[in-house]
Amino acid sequence: MSLLIKITCVLSLTMIVLTGCWDVKNIQDINYLTAIGVDMEDDQYVVYVQMLDFSNVTKPEGGSKPTQPITPWIGKAKGKNVITALNEMYKTSQQQLYFGQISALVCTEKAMKGGLEPIIDALDRYREFRYTSWVFGTKETMENIFAVQPFFNQSPLSSLLHEPQAPYFQESSIVPLQLRQFVKDFREPGKTSLIPSLTISKENWKTGFKEQPLLKIDGIYAFHSGTYKGWLGRKQLQGMRWMEPETKRSPLAIEMDGKPLVTLSIEKPKVNVTSLIADNKPTFHVDISVKATISQELENISQADIEQEAETKIKKEIIETYEVGLNNKTDILQLEHKFYRQKTKEWKKMIEDFPLTKESLNLNDIVVNVHITDSGRYKTIAE
């Protein structure tokens, strides 16, 4: 083979390899979406997106915080469905929109009443969209939700919208929900899907003399068998945390005759629900074991008395939440799903109208064991 032919072959192979990189885009040439929201208006879908400049998201050299707020861009478009609304948004997007960085999906109450399956199905068409996104519902205006910024000029990615697990570890009340878990629950027989509800609160924080709006989880939106069941507020759900094995840490204030006695920090409940049948109706027996530490003791009271009072209050909160669910035709405590798992044959006979009543669960059916592991007191120097 002549030298000329060899050179020609090498050059040809080089050109073939190089052609594979011609359509590669630089990072700065792509718009990265971080959250997507869906609303309904005049029988049309209204789609919102939150977009960040990731060059501003990275920490400055030395780890110092940004000196200027990182303001998100918010997009909005309408369409007969989610896809047509996004197609409308493309017309003014200037650069390619990338869905792989979306970590939050927010739907308004109107959108949820219209059905979540068309929304999830539309997003599933985008291969880069991830099912690890956090899911929320809201009654707020979507632009306001997406515009809320966290402390100290930090990136919106550090807010409750994108990192709900961080505050949940300190105060466990309503479990954060990822899309993959919601889809699983949505299709699971007898399961009630609970979507955390986002609101904007100005109650707790200020910058100087100015109130600082921040995101807050104030309740849940419930779905059963794909049907929207309604909204319930945080105060109505106090007993739910004691039935949730995911609970990391939650406070419990003990009072007597309206007088505060002690505040406990309850951790990692171990829950066992037994399904029974009485008079052809489902009944349940609940065993709960929790560890507790004393956060604050205002009165001199024995550890045994504290444990007993805590057990009584936990049982009371569970029953109150259960009855709230009954009144709203919502199985907040997931008892039907427990029955389905333990007594599938009997459940299938009741599937059309699962008969949960006040007799299905009462105080005598709940056994709670509270074990205080730490008094919370500081040791003296002598000790």
Side-chain angles (χ1 to χ4, degrees), residues 145-189:
I145 290 288
F146 283 174
V148 170
Q149 295 176 306
F151 299 134
F152 309 119
N153 298 325
Q154 290 180 326
S155 163
L157 294 178
S158 299
S159 72
L160 184 66
L161 178 64
H162 298 281
E163 289 188 4
Q165 280 188 311
Y168 182 75
F169 282 127
Q170 285 193 308
E171 199 276 314
S172 302
S173 178
I174 296 170
V175 184
L177 184 69
Q178 287 185 320
L179 183 57
R180 60 180 178 81
Q181 186 63 47
F182 173 75
V183 171
K184 178 184 174 184
D185 292 349
F186 198 75
R187 296 165 182 168
E188 184 76 6

Side-chain angles (χ1 to χ4, degrees), residues 9 38 102 143 147 176 178 232 269 272 277 279 287 291 297 309:
C9 290
V38 183
I102 291 177
E143 287 113 320
Q178 287 185 320
L232 292 168
N272 183 47
I277 297 177
D279 298 327
D287 284 285
K291 293 181 180 180
E297 189 174 358
E309 291 295 327

Side-chain angles (χ1 to χ4, degrees), residues 238-258:
Q238 291 299 301
M240 187 173 68
R241 53 189 172 158
W242 312 127
M243 296 284 288
E244 177 53 66
E246 291 295 316
T247 295
K248 308 299 180 187
R249 178 178 179 270
S250 197
L252 182 70
I254 306 298
E255 297 180 351
M256 187 173 290
D257 299 324

Side-chain angles (χ1 to χ4, degrees), residues 3 61-62 65 74 76-77 91 94 100 130 149 165 173 175 201 206 236 246 255 264 293 300 314 323 350 371 378:
L3 180 60
E61 191 174 345
K65 291 184 173 64
I74 299 170
K76 174 184 177 181
K91 296 176 182 178
Q94 311 301 307
R130 301 176 183 178
Q149 295 176 306
Q165 280 188 311
S173 178
V175 184
S201 173
K206 288 185 176 182
Q236 299 171 290
E246 291 295 316
E255 297 180 351
L264 301 177
T293 59
N300 189 14
I314 288 173
E323 292 181 351
M350 307 174 183
H371 177 57
Y378 288 108

